């Protein structure tokens, strides 16, 4: 198995986006079915901006899965819901801390339970 981990970039950096497209093209030349997965890693702390970024990367590269990191230390876990609704790209992995055990396969029902448990109680209730 080959994992090609690229350096981070913004979708507005045209030359770096072209570089990514080239990586994909070259892999496709070696094996017409490659790459078998194109994962986009998004920082969960950027909130709704993550949706816009994912849309742009998807347009240019055809993203097949998402990894959302830094869901610890942020109340913006709701971005996961926006991504699921708007993009329809599966979330494969999430990160909730800096240790290896804080990284794992995304489980939608576990995530929703945790999100509801951590939601602040309605002050009027
Ligand atoms: N709190 C927290 N920190 C994280 C999480 N994921 C990554 N980090 C930290 O964020 C920093 C950057 O992580 P990297 O894995 O180097 O990020 P990257 O996207 O590969 O960065 P580049 O390759 O430079 O583009 C490190 O200090 C990580 O420990 C997470 O889920 N939670
Ligand atoms: Mg890196």
């Amino acid at each position: 198995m080959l994992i090609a981990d690229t350096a981070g970039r913004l979708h507005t950096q045209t030359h770096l986006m072209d570089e990514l497209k080239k990586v994909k093209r070259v892999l496709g030349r070696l094996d017409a079915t490659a790459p078998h997965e194109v994962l986009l890693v998004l920082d969960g702390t950027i909130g709704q901006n993550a949706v816009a970024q994912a849309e742009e990367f998807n347009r240019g590269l055809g993203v097949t899965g998402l990894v959302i990191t830094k869901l610890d230390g942020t109340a913006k876990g709701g971005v996961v819901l926006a991504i699921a609704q708007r993009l329809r790209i599966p979330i494969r992995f999430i990160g909730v801390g800096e240790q290896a055990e804080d990284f794992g396969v995304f489980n939608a029902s576990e995530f929703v339970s945790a999100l509801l448990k951590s939601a602040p109680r309605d002050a009027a209730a």
Side-chain angles (χ1 to χ4, degrees):
M1 187 182 293
L2 169 74
I3 298 174
D5 173 25
T6 69
R9 66 207 60 212
L10 293 172
H11 59 79
T12 48
Q13 296 170 304
T14 315
H15 61 297
L16 293 179
M17 292 304 283
D18 288 344
E19 186 186 80
L20 272 189
K21 289 176 197 164
K22 185 173 179 187
V23 170
K24 192 178 175 185
R25 225 169 31 241
V26 170
L27 286 170
R29 233 179 269 150
L30 298 172
D31 175 348
T33 65
H36 302 98
E37 179 104 86
V38 178
L39 293 177
L40 174 65
V41 182
L42 292 168
D43 180 333
T45 62
I46 65 172
Q48 299 300 318
N49 285 334
V51 181
Q53 269 195 27
E55 273 173 346
E56 289 300 324
F57 274 86
N58 190 34
R59 218 189 313 278
L61 284 151
V63 174
T64 61
L66 298 171
V67 181
I68 319 282
T69 63
K70 303 191 185 173
L71 288 174
D72 51 311
T74 171
K76 292 186 177 163
V79 69
V80 166
L81 305 182
I83 284 171
Q85 194 177 30
R86 288 268 297 277
L87 299 173
R88 309 243 147 231
I89 300 170
I91 296 165
R92 302 265 192 239
F93 302 95
I94 56 168
V96 292
E98 291 190 278
Q99 305 304 315
E101 58 269 24
D102 297 327
F103 186 77
V105 171
F106 176 70
N107 178 312
S109 57
E110 271 175 26
F111 183 83
V112 170
S113 302
L115 196 65
L116 294 179
K117 236 179 273 168
S118 64
R121 284 184 189 281
D122 188 336

